[in-house]
Amino acid sequence: MDKKLYDLMDWAGIEEMVYSEARHPENLLGRHVLEEGVLIQAFIPTAEAVAVKILSTGKVYPMSLADDEGFFAALLPKKTTAAYTLQITYDNGSQEEVYDPYSFPSQFTDSDLKKFASGIHYQIYEKMGAHPMTIDKVEGVLFVVWAPCAMRVSVVGDFNLWDGRRHQMKLHEGSGVYELFIPGLKEGDIYKYEIKKMNGDPVLKADPYANYAELRPNTASVVWNIGKYQWNDKEWMAERAKKDSKKKPMSIYELHLGSWKRKEHLLDRDGLEITGSEFYNYREIAKDLAAYVKEMGYTHIELMPVMEHPLDASWGYQVSGYYAPTSRYGTPDDFMYFMDYMHSQGIGVILDWVPAHFPRDAWGMAAFDGTCVYEHKDPRQGSHPHWGTLIYNYGRPQVVNFLIANAMFWAEKYHADGIRMDAVASMLYLDYGKNDGEWVANIYGGHENLEAVEFLKHLNSIFKKRRDGAVLIAEESTAWPKITGDVKDGGLGFDYKWNMGWMNDFLGYMQCDPYFRRYHYGELTFSLLYAYSEDFILVFSHDEVVHGKGSMAGKMPGATLEDKYANLRAAYGFMIGHPGKKLLFMGQEFGQMNEWNENTSLEWELLDYPIHKQTRDYVKALNKLYAEYPALSEMDYHPHGFEWIECNNAAESILVFIRKTKKKEETLMFVCNFDTVAHDKFKVGVPFAGRYKEILNSDAKEFGGLGRVNIRAKASKKEEINEKANSITINLPPLSVCVFTCTPLAAVSKSAVGRSATTRKTAAGKKTAAEEKAPQVKKASSRNRGNLKVVKQEKGNI
């Protein structure tokens, strides 16, 4: 090394680089124009020789070794400021020519930094993480990460021997944001961040913003370009934006992709199970799932979290990769295909999302840069003792930005039709799941998490500005007011809330022996006292069929299977008639008897048995009923859409109610018997004079019942029952739900008049009044017989 070059060396800076403690490696490395010439420096451990090649001329300038650890420098004439590469010879004799990572300009702007620091960079996922791109006609990957208290951050992977000295990242001072563009890297390369903590200890961390990750148990992040998939759901997205989901049927099939259907493990040459071979790919499962969901009549599916997670047994609720669909089932492109295909089949997709907590895995977000970056430092604020997880610090703008942008990400990049937010109650209350002394009160001495409340309001207000029809759903189990209220009116702004109160009360009621249900009648009717306080979704979710709770069928009382399934049909029938959207967890539609087990496939073989096939047919019929009759959805969230006819018959465990629209003729009546006593001639008050035709009966033989149905349409009589001027007499089976259409007398009369006029018009010759009347009576009788045939046909089709 000549004296001029020697004098230009920053020896303290070189030592900082060699010991991999540089927060601003760009100050030393790369190209720097000085009075003496153009100084180019590179730090490449294990290199024996390095030369600079000017691309425009092809001229090569050997670099001098300034430090034996691999620090090289060269002073070039001032005119050589053109693009260059580094020609490297390593100590094993191999050679390569690469672009210098430190010769490329920053891609993270001051505007990006300011918005991120303020928590309002809602497309931060376009900047953070690993993004394949081309800069100055050179292909590579841009890495950006937030680690505000790190001494140094490096990108490591197979491409640099996992050596944290090689690609030390550039810090944007005052922001905690590190950035580096590495030329030559491509989609599929694995990487992590090596973070040197302030005490000098290095840790390896997966990228919180990674778009893809290795299959567990491996934990590295994977470079992926999520912008190359060509979507085909333009019509679906446009139509979704026009619809008001509040007035439409929403029947949701909740499922766990890893256990809806599952393969046998493949074995390697040594007879060992091949990791991941038990799972169907997103593309494989899409077609089978869509066909099944369409056949069953569901409008939506809800996926338990598909965001990357380390432990199968967490069912996805302990997320490690918020911006990455899990690699268990394929690549990000595979998951985009899954979403696209569902839309092509007319099926909406709701994604379960977990902004309440995250796992403690050392390679994840916990103590990310050696300090509590994403979580609270005080364990009374930052720890869930029951779940063993960490709580987000919602008072930190960058953390809030991470979460809000993530919800936007799944809607924008993966076209999610809804986001269901898990464990909202745990976010709202500082003492959730904690004992005295295990939590810290807010500034007013209360237990409300004021920062989480503001986060939820912020998220919902921003999400709604997209105006594309995607919805936000809260799983919230307390009486916190206005979960679905307008943010401007003090609400949290969600579109829907899971009705956990109804679920707990109703299941408690159904689990009683029918003899004792008369003493719990209030658990049936109580939900209507608050049904319109929020926009609810009624749920029988996965939470009700795990941890020793048994399956839905297993919960039902009864000495025989027939009794258990009669109870189950009654429960599902009441649910379909109750105001609110509907959700049922997989396997419960055919009455799986065992608890759900995430390690095995659903027990599809049960469908070979009549009772399970008939139960599935019944749920299919309920979904068909729900989809075809506007009264069950059009006024779901308006009190005028529901009316009790009988809600005081505790002695016989009988309920009667109607569902309505603004059109009288669209009214439906539900008669529910939750006792084991049959009523052969049960009188029911009806909303108006007219004709009442049974369109569904849970005791029908095709559903596994004994066939005690009402075949003939019922004409109301002017006899007061249930404080109604008119009534009908029906056959009411035990443990059943019967559903009737209600045709007003005016509509019946008008129809009869129209038919009579047609008869008169087509009759040949003149007839006496008696002659005129005789064939009309005969025709009316014929019409009645025809109507009975139609009833039978319709029941067969349901």
Side-chain angles (χ1 to χ4, degrees):
M1 177 179 291
D2 62 35
K3 186 175 184 305
K4 181 186 288 189
L5 184 58
Y6 181 90
D7 290 341
L8 291 174
M9 294 295 95
D10 178 355
W11 297 105
I14 292 174
E15 184 176 8
E16 184 183 53
M17 286 295 307
V18 168
Y19 283 95
S20 68
E21 296 176 351
R23 304 181 87 187
H24 295 284
E26 72 279 8
N27 291 345
L28 208 63
L29 303 181
R31 176 177 52 204
H32 296 272
V33 178
L34 307 175
E35 290 184 4
E36 295 84 354
V38 178
L39 177 64
I40 296 179
Q41 300 175 95
F43 180 45
I44 309 174
T46 71
E48 282 194 342
V50 181
V52 177
K53 177 183 177 182
I54 305 301
L55 295 179
S56 58
T57 64
K59 192 169 184 180
V60 175
Y61 297 88
M63 302 183 78
S64 299
L65 181 64
D67 188 284
D68 290 340
E69 291 298 321
F71 193 93
F72 294 84
L75 186 62
L76 280 58
K78 279 189 177 182
K79 294 181 181 180
T80 54
T81 57
Y84 66 93
T85 58
L86 300 175
Q87 296 179 330
I88 307 168
T89 302
Y90 293 101
D91 56 11
N92 62 0
S94 63
Q95 295 181 331
E96 69 172 342
E97 183 174 337
V98 300
Y99 285 92
D100 186 353
Y102 300 95
S103 66
F104 293 89
S106 173
Q107 302 300 303
F108 213 91
T109 67
D110 288 342
S111 176
D112 291 326
L113 294 171
K114 289 177 181 177
K115 288 196 293 183
F116 180 58
S118 300
I120 58 172
H121 200 318
Y122 304 122
Q123 284 76 43
I124 191 65
Y125 50 81
E126 301 281 10
K127 294 287 186 174
M128 292 285 191
H131 297 279
M133 62 175 57
T134 300
I135 301 177
D136 297 337
K137 298 182 181 180
V138 178
E139 294 182 354
V141 177
L142 176 69
F143 296 90
V144 183
V145 67
W146 179 54
C149 294
M151 178 188 292
R152 178 268 300 163
V153 182
S154 298
V155 186
V156 295
D158 292 339
F159 52 87
N160 63 8
L161 306 178
W162 298 87
D163 187 342
R165 298 173 297 171
R166 290 175 180 261
H167 290 103
Q168 298 176 54
M169 302 179 75
K170 310 172 187 178
L171 172 66
H172 290 274
E173 196 64 53
S175 68
V177 174
Y178 287 83
E179 171 187 5
L180 188 66
F181 177 74
I182 303 181
L185 297 193
K186 59 188 182 304
E187 184 175 86
D189 286 337
I190 64 172
Y191 71 99
K192 280 188 176 181
Y193 295 115
E194 185 185 272
I195 298 176
K196 181 167 280 192
K197 300 186 288 187
M198 282 301 183
N199 66 1
D201 293 337
V203 291
L204 284 175
K205 293 286 189 177
D207 186 353
Y209 287 88
N211 291 137
Y212 192 33
E214 286 188 296
L215 176 64
R216 54 91 172 113
N218 295 329
T219 59
S221 302
V222 181
V223 175
W224 203 265
N225 177 13
I226 63 170
K228 65 180 185 298
Y229 181 82
Q230 298 297 312
W231 288 88
N232 301 294
D233 63 350
K234 186 177 179 180
E235 289 184 13
W236 167 271
M237 298 292 281
E239 190 64 25
R240 188 186 76 186
K242 297 176 185 177
K243 290 181 179 178
D244 180 1
S245 64
K246 299 288 178 72
K247 297 180 180 180
K248 298 294 181 181
M250 183 182 286
S251 183
I252 305 167
Y253 186 60
E254 186 193 24
L255 72 143
H256 177 255
L257 272 182
S259 59
W260 185 71
K261 281 188 177 179
R262 203 175 178 101
K263 300 178 181 178
E264 292 293 327
H265 268 101
L266 297 177
L267 304 179
D268 62 17
R269 293 179 180 178
D270 299 322
L272 300 175
E273 292 180 347
I274 299 174
T275 300
S277 63
E278 70 270 33
F279 298 123
Y280 282 87
N281 182 275
Y282 290 115
R283 294 175 186 262
E284 288 181 299
I285 206 168
K287 293 182 179 179
D288 286 349
L289 179 59
Y292 183 75
V293 168
K294 283 182 69 176
E295 179 192 356
M296 290 299 297
Y298 289 100
T299 63
H300 291 71
I301 59 172
E302 181 175 312
L303 302 180
M304 294 170 71
V306 293
M307 297 78 186
E308 193 58 80
H309 53 282
L311 182 66
D312 289 7
S314 79
W315 313 329
Y317 289 99
Q318 295 193 12
V319 179
S320 55
Y322 277 78
Y323 287 84
T326 177
S327 55
R328 287 168 176 80
Y329 319 124
T331 68
D333 287 12
D334 292 335
F335 186 53
M336 289 179 181
Y337 174 88
F338 176 94
M339 300 290 283
D340 207 4
Y341 187 79
M342 289 297 158
H343 291 168
S344 74
Q345 300 303 302
I347 300 166
V349 185
I350 299 167
L351 301 181
D352 222 336
W353 185 56
V354 193
H357 60 117
F358 61 96
R360 295 175 179 270
D361 299 78
W363 49 267
M365 290 186 291
F368 186 71
D369 62 5
T371 67
C372 295
V373 176
Y374 289 93
E375 70 274 31
H376 281 278
K377 182 177 181 181
D378 188 334
R380 295 176 299 169
Q381 297 173 289
S383 175
H384 269 306
H386 291 174
W387 299 336
T389 52
L390 298 172
I391 300 172
Y392 283 104
N393 183 348
Y394 303 108
R396 200 165 196 177
Q398 297 91 336
V399 174
V400 168
N401 203 151
F402 171 81
L403 292 171
I404 292 178
N406 188 236
M408 305 286 279
F409 170 84
W410 292 106
E412 184 67 31
K413 297 298 184 180
Y414 286 91
H415 296 196
D417 300 288
I419 304 289
R420 177 265 188 186
M421 197 178 301
D422 181 66
V424 171
S426 74
M427 301 167 65
L428 293 174
Y429 297 97
L430 296 165
D431 59 345
Y432 184 90
K434 298 181 180 181
N435 300 314
D436 290 344
E438 295 178 346
W439 61 282
V440 179
N442 63 35
I443 58 174
Y444 303 110
H447 66 162
E448 299 84 4
N449 190 334
L450 304 179
E451 293 170 342
V453 170
E454 289 307 309
F455 157 66
L456 294 173
K457 290 181 178 180
H458 188 175
L459 167 59
N460 281 301
S461 62
I462 294 301
F463 198 89
K464 278 185 169 56
K465 287 182 179 179
R466 301 180 73 253
R467 301 181 186 280
D468 66 349
V471 298
L472 285 169
I473 304 166
E475 185 229 6
E476 203 283 322
S477 54
T478 74
W480 188 285
K482 297 184 178 181
I483 296 292
T484 57
D486 194 321
V487 171
K488 296 177 181 178
D489 191 35
L492 295 187
F494 285 94
D495 295 287
Y496 298 100
K497 172 182 172 174
W498 274 21
N499 197 337
M500 310 294 281
W502 172 84
M503 177 273 298
N504 283 310
D505 288 346
F506 184 53
L507 284 184
Y509 176 84
M510 290 304 300
Q511 286 176 282
C512 288
D513 184 285
Y515 180 81
F516 296 105
R517 284 176 178 167
R518 69 190 67 184
Y519 305 113
H520 298 268
Y521 193 75
E523 294 173 15
L524 271 179
T525 60
F526 179 67
S527 59
L528 267 299
L529 295 178
Y530 62 86
Y532 302 103
S533 63
E534 304 280 4
D535 292 348
F536 285 116
I537 297 176
L538 307 183
V539 294
F540 289 141
S541 74
H542 68 276
D543 280 328
E544 314 323 315
V545 293
V546 293
H547 300 322
K549 296 178 184 177
S551 66
M552 287 295 295
K555 295 178 196 293
M556 299 296 112
T560 65
L561 280 180
E562 286 73 18
D563 287 344
K564 283 182 174 291
Y565 282 89
N567 272 290
L568 186 65
R569 292 193 301 272
Y572 289 167
F574 179 67
M575 179 187 189
I576 213 74
H578 192 288
K581 308 308 179 188
K582 327 295 177 185
L583 178 144
L584 190 65
F585 182 59
M586 66 178 194
Q588 304 315 314
E589 76 277 11
F590 58 82
Q592 182 168 300
M593 282 299 296
N594 291 323
E595 262 191 5
W596 169 55
N597 180 356
E598 75 275 2
N599 295 313
T600 62
S601 178
L602 291 182
E603 298 174 285
W604 295 105
E605 63 277 8
L606 291 177
L607 289 171
D608 293 334
Y609 298 90
I611 200 164
H612 294 284
K613 183 180 183 302
Q614 290 162 344
T615 300
R616 186 182 68 171
D617 290 344
Y618 177 64
V619 172
K620 180 179 176 180
L622 289 177
N623 280 333
K624 184 174 185 290
L625 182 81
Y626 182 44
E628 289 184 355
Y629 290 89
L632 295 176
S633 57
E634 194 170 292
M635 297 180 70
D636 246 343
Y637 304 113
H638 196 291
H640 290 168
F642 177 92
E643 181 185 336
W644 285 119
I645 288 181
E646 173 60 89
C647 60
N648 292 302
N649 194 347
E652 296 179 301
S653 300
I654 291 174
L655 281 176
V656 184
F657 59 88
I658 57 174
R659 295 298 307 277
K660 301 181 288 183
T661 69
K662 294 179 180 179
K663 298 178 181 179
K664 199 173 183 180
E665 64 272 18
E666 291 180 343
T667 303
L668 292 182
M669 182 171 70
F670 283 72
V671 185
C672 310
N673 181 6
F674 292 104
D675 204 344
T676 54
V677 178
H679 300 267
D680 292 336
K681 293 183 179 180
F682 187 76
K683 292 185 178 182
V684 183
V686 293
F688 42 74
R691 186 165 61 91
Y692 292 80
K693 183 174 71 171
E694 186 177 85
I695 54 172
L696 185 136
N697 188 319
S698 66
D699 194 54
K701 288 184 178 180
E702 59 262 41
F703 303 143
L706 295 179
R708 293 163 289 191
V709 300
N710 296 280
I711 297 176
R712 291 178 174 83
K714 307 288 184 178
S716 66
K717 295 181 180 179
K718 199 160 185 62
E719 182 179 352
E720 183 176 347
I721 301 289
N722 305 123
E723 299 183 358
K724 297 293 183 182
N726 299 278
S727 62
I728 59 173
T729 301
I730 65 170
N731 178 35
L732 182 59
L735 302 174
S736 68
V737 171
C738 307
V739 186
F740 295 83
T741 56
C742 312
T743 306
L745 185 61
V748 174
S749 300
K750 185 177 180 180
S751 176
V753 169
R755 288 194 295 268
S756 296
T758 302
T759 301
R760 289 194 300 271
K761 185 175 181 180
T762 56
K766 294 182 179 180
K767 297 178 180 151
T768 65
E771 290 172 331
E772 188 90 30
K773 188 174 183 181
Q776 288 179 30
V777 172
K778 185 176 180 180
K779 284 182 178 289
S781 176
S782 175
R783 283 198 301 274
N784 286 338
R785 288 198 298 272
N787 285 338
L788 295 183
K789 292 178 182 178
V790 170
V791 170
K792 292 178 181 178
Q793 290 172 356
E794 286 181 351
K795 291 184 66 61
N797 290 334
I798 289 176

